[in-house]
């Protein structure tokens, strides 16, 4: 159960845990040498480098399944995004990127994290949190390593997505 929880991200995709190399699948020495700030920077650059497409992809979380069976359980290349959510999801992803770029990351409580917190709370108070959470969860569960970014950067992104979604609860 401990191993499954770590692989599924239940214990490893938290900001409190993500700066350390995981026991289950340790990071390569070259990645460890870069450190958490570099991992967060890589995640933010990957996220924002193609921001509009990433937001549209994430909107599949509120869209329609495409159907068909694929060998990977989460694969659904024919899914249709619900673009009603694109602006809000895009704003959330930009806020998440800003928090990732804060020196020390989101837990340092600097400017990016504060702005992200305010946006998350405003989304919750407007009743939009469930849809945004569905979209961010869809994205979190489909970050590809090494296709999208390195494993440490992906774990930083996943942990920051979880942090942001918790702010909307």
């Amino acid at each position: 159960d401990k191993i499954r929880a770590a692989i599924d991200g239940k214990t490893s995709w938290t900001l409190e845990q993500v700066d350390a190399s995981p026991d289950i699948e340790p990071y390569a020495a070259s990645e460890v040498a870069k450190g958490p700030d570099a991992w967060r920077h890589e995640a933010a650059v990957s996220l924002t480098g193609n921001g509009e497409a990433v937001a549209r992809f994430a909107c599949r979380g509120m869209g329609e399944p495409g159907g068909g069976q694929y060998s990977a359980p989460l694969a659904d290349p024919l899914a249709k995004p619900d673009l009603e959510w694109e602006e809000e999801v895009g704003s959330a992803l930009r806020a998440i990127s800003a928090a990732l770029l804060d020196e020390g990351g989101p837990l340092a409580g600097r400017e990016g994290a504060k702005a992200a917190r305010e946006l998350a709370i405003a989304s919750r108070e407007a009743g939009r949190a469930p849809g945004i959470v569905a979209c961010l969860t869809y994205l979190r569960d489909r970050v590809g390593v090494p296709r999208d970014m390195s494993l440490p950067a992906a774990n930083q992104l996943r942990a920051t997505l979880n942090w942001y979604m918790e702010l909307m609860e």
Side-chain angles (χ1 to χ4, degrees), residues 78-105:
L78 302 176
K80 298 192 180 6
D82 183 345
L83 297 179
E84 170 194 336
W85 295 92
E86 186 175 9
E87 185 176 330
E88 290 168 287
V89 170
S91 293
L93 293 175
R94 286 187 295 278
I96 289 164
S97 293
L100 282 163
L101 290 172
D102 277 347
E103 183 180 339

Side-chain angles (χ1 to χ4, degrees), residues 13 21 40 58 64 70 124 157:
W13 296 344
S21 183
R40 285 189 288 274
E64 298 294 322
Y70 301 92
R124 180 185 68 216
L157 175 58

Side-chain angles (χ1 to χ4, degrees), residues 69-159:
Q69 290 223 276
Y70 301 92
S71 59
L74 295 177
D76 191 1
L78 302 176
K80 298 192 180 6
D82 183 345
L83 297 179
E84 170 194 336
W85 295 92
E86 186 175 9
E87 185 176 330
E88 290 168 287
V89 170
S91 293
L93 293 175
R94 286 187 295 278
I96 289 164
S97 293
L100 282 163
L101 290 172
D102 277 347
E103 183 180 339
L107 290 182
R110 300 189 191 285
E111 188 175 323
K114 288 178 183 176
R117 180 181 305 278
E118 289 173 12
L119 182 62
I121 291 168
S123 296
R124 180 185 68 216
E125 290 174 352
R128 302 295 282 175
I132 296 169
V133 166
C135 293
L136 297 179
T137 299
Y138 187 92
L139 175 63
R140 181 203 62 204
D141 293 349
R142 289 163 178 82
V143 173
V145 173
R147 178 196 66 206
D148 299 323
M149 61 191 74
S150 69
L151 179 59
N155 285 344
Q156 289 287 335
L157 175 58
R158 292 170 179 138

